[in-house]
Structures are given as C-alpha cells and as structure tokens.
Amino acid sequence: KHAARFDVGHEANSGIAGRHVPQCCGGAGRAQAEIQPQMAQKILLVDDSSIIRTQYRLVLQKAGYEVVEAWDAAQAASALKTLDIAFMLCDYNIPGVNGLDLIEAMRQQPRLAALPTAILSADVNPTLVARAKRAEVAGWLVKPCSADKLLELIAQCAGPA
C-alpha cells in the first residue's frame, strides 16, 4: 500500500485541505512520460458543473495536460475502464454515486488501485476527509481551488504534463 502523509487544513480558500501523496506518484505514470515524452498526461476531470469543468480544463490544458471530462460517476467509470488516466480530479457531489464512493470502488480494481486521485469540494467535512485518507486520496481540494494548488498536486502525483 501507499505510505504517505495526509495533512488537513481548514481554511476555506486554502486550496489543498489535505494532501496524501502516494509512493506511486513517482512510479509508473512518470516513467511512462519519460519513455513517451510527446504524450501528454491524461487527467480525468469529474464534475457535474460544466462551468467548473471548463474552468479547470482550461487551467490543465494551458499547463500541457490532456483533459478527459465526465459529468457523473458512470461516465467516469467508463473513462477509467477504457483510457490510460494519470490522475483523477473528482467532485464529491456527482450524479450516480458520490466521488468518494467512486474512488473506493476504483481501489478494488487492480489496474486502478494505485491511480492518484483528489476530491474537489466546497465542504471540508472532517468525517469525509478522514474517509478520503483511508481511501488513499492524494488531496482534498477546496472550491474554489487556485490553479497553482491544483497544478502542484497533479505534478506531485502524475508528474509534469
């Protein structure tokens, strides 16, 4: 399993409310990028708000990442099954199942068990943050999250674009 740190901050606009950077963050995803540098890292962005998806998609694309969007858990699950995703950023409140349920289900699949993920939420519920830590979520990003905080977390986990 992943040995890492998960710090929790409670400032509403601090960006990363918790951080857990799995050992896998320096592993397969980064090695693949070094072997095929012309291929952009693929980020799965899951949020039912098209405005939020557009905002973060533009930030990620400007930084050089390829972005795959999903508006609900079913679309996210489909993308996870068929695409080579380097990192998943998932809203907590999405149609279908919540983002944390999606991540916990994903952890049961050997191919996806080590995929770095982060939860995006306007709420910092201590119970949910503790559950995210147990599910080895890389971070709990508080909406609105700054572009710098988002890119810092993704670069630590998935490597540079």
Side-chain angles (χ1 to χ4, degrees):
K1 289 289 177 178
H2 308 265
R5 189 178 117 202
F6 193 102
D7 297 320
V8 179
H10 296 286
E11 296 177 18
N13 293 318
S14 65
I16 298 175
R19 180 179 306 173
H20 160 89
V21 181
Q23 288 179 345
C24 70
C25 293
R30 193 165 284 162
Q32 183 178 6
E34 291 168 6
I35 294 168
Q36 301 173 346
Q38 74 280 7
M39 308 254 328
Q41 295 275 33
K42 207 170 281 175
I43 308 298
L44 177 58
L45 176 58
V46 187
D47 199 303
D48 58 329
S49 167
S50 62
I51 293 169
I52 296 292
R53 284 195 322 271
T54 298
Q55 175 186 357
Y56 290 117
R57 176 179 39 83
L58 293 173
V59 167
L60 294 167
Q61 287 175 333
K62 184 176 179 183
Y65 293 100
E66 181 179 341
V67 179
V68 176
E69 296 181 35
W71 82 278
D72 68 358
Q75 285 184 345
S78 177
L80 289 166
K81 287 178 187 173
T82 59
L83 301 173
D84 184 22
I85 302 295
F87 186 90
M88 180 174 74
L89 177 63
C90 188
D91 184 16
Y92 177 76
N93 293 304
I94 56 174
V97 299
N98 68 55
L100 203 43
D101 287 342
L102 175 65
I103 291 168
E104 288 170 339
M106 183 187 79
R107 294 284 184 239
Q108 302 305 310
Q109 301 174 35
R111 186 178 77 78
L112 300 172
L115 178 70
T117 60
I119 291 284
L120 186 62
S121 179
D123 183 24
V124 182
N125 177 317
T127 303
L128 293 177
V129 172
R131 185 175 152 205
K133 180 180 177 183
R134 288 189 304 274
E136 300 180 350
V137 171
W140 190 280
L141 300 167
V142 179
K143 291 179 185 178
C145 172
S146 75
D148 290 341
K149 293 292 182 184
L150 175 64
L151 294 172
E152 174 188 350
L153 179 64
I154 293 172
Q156 287 175 345
C157 291

